[in-house]
Amino acid sequence: MDLFPPDRLPLVPEALLTAHKVNHPADSRFRACARLLQALHREAAGWGIGTYTTAAGRKRKMGHLVGVFDGAAGANFLSPEVHRLARRELAYREPGAMFEEKRLYENLLSSTPLALNLLGPIKLNRDLAEAFVREALPDLAGRVCSVAFEHSPGRGDPNFTDDATAFDGFITLRLEDGRKAFVAIEIKYSESCGEPEPRMRERYDALSASSDLFLDPDDPALRRNPIQQMWRLHMLAQSMIDAGLYDAGAVVVIAPRLNDQVQRAVSQYRAHLAPAATGKAAFVDLPLEDAVAALALAGAPDMARAITTRYVDFGPIHALI
């Protein structure tokens, strides 16, 4: 008999969270479990605990943070090769790319190192990249030309979204019929889709209408959390097609199945979309577990197992409960 419901995580007792230095009252149910899981990984690895500075200027230790030394040594990355790639990506990032170095190296809960752990291996191996796309998104299978992180076609460019919107990961391909295509990836781990809302711009309204992606392009809900970021990312993707940079593409949201806040937001966003059409950027919900399975089938089972253990196997949490 399965003692743990497969469709939910526990409400972790406050005493357990406090014992592992991860008690954060604002956390969602998923985020509390994810934060505790990362603390357990840090403890098991013997990494030193990290600190952050509160708004009041006080230093506070948190179990999901690693110390500076272990962070610099690569604690947040699942292989030496991905650690080296992370350092290179940081050094050669696009102008204006939003890499927070401390979070990248020392915050085990951050989705940025997850993006590198998941997509880094495919950047380092073209054959793996092509097999991954073939497994995860067969409609866009083809010859992979490049894999980038924190990518935008032009930050602040009025031809696009006229802002700093960017994709966590970006794969360019040449399809078998010769068309240029892309896979634009947004990765969520413990986020709630409740980030600060951006200033609304005239360009957003124009793109929302001209993109033909939405049932009602003027709907105020598109401009508010929890779906405004998906709206902006989707419009950015479509603007690249409309500008002639690509012939086809998809925006792919990757998040754990049990992160119910993100999964609800994805469902809510889908309800606003017009029927799929030729020449329009697709919108795809790819659960993190399915992305990891695609990586394993593509030829990287060891990395897939490491990502599963690190991010989505909540067995250690159930064991504590």
Side-chain angles (χ1 to χ4, degrees), residues 193-257:
C193 293
E195 65 278 347
E197 296 175 357
R199 173 178 62 84
M200 289 296 108
R201 303 164 186 264
E202 291 183 6
R203 182 58 175 155
Y204 295 165
D205 294 334
L207 280 177
S208 195
S210 67
S211 67
D212 292 328
L213 293 173
F214 309 107
L215 295 172
D216 179 3
D218 298 321
D219 194 325
L222 291 168
R223 295 150 173 82
R224 298 287 179 266
N225 284 335
I227 65 173
Q228 55 82 19
Q229 186 186 30
M230 297 178 206
W231 175 63
R232 289 185 290 113
L233 290 168
H234 205 174
M235 290 192 298
L236 177 60
Q238 186 59 45
S239 70
M240 293 189 297
I241 294 174
D242 292 342
L245 299 182
Y246 300 94
D247 302 303
V251 174
V252 181
V253 176
I254 298 178
R257 277 197 178 87

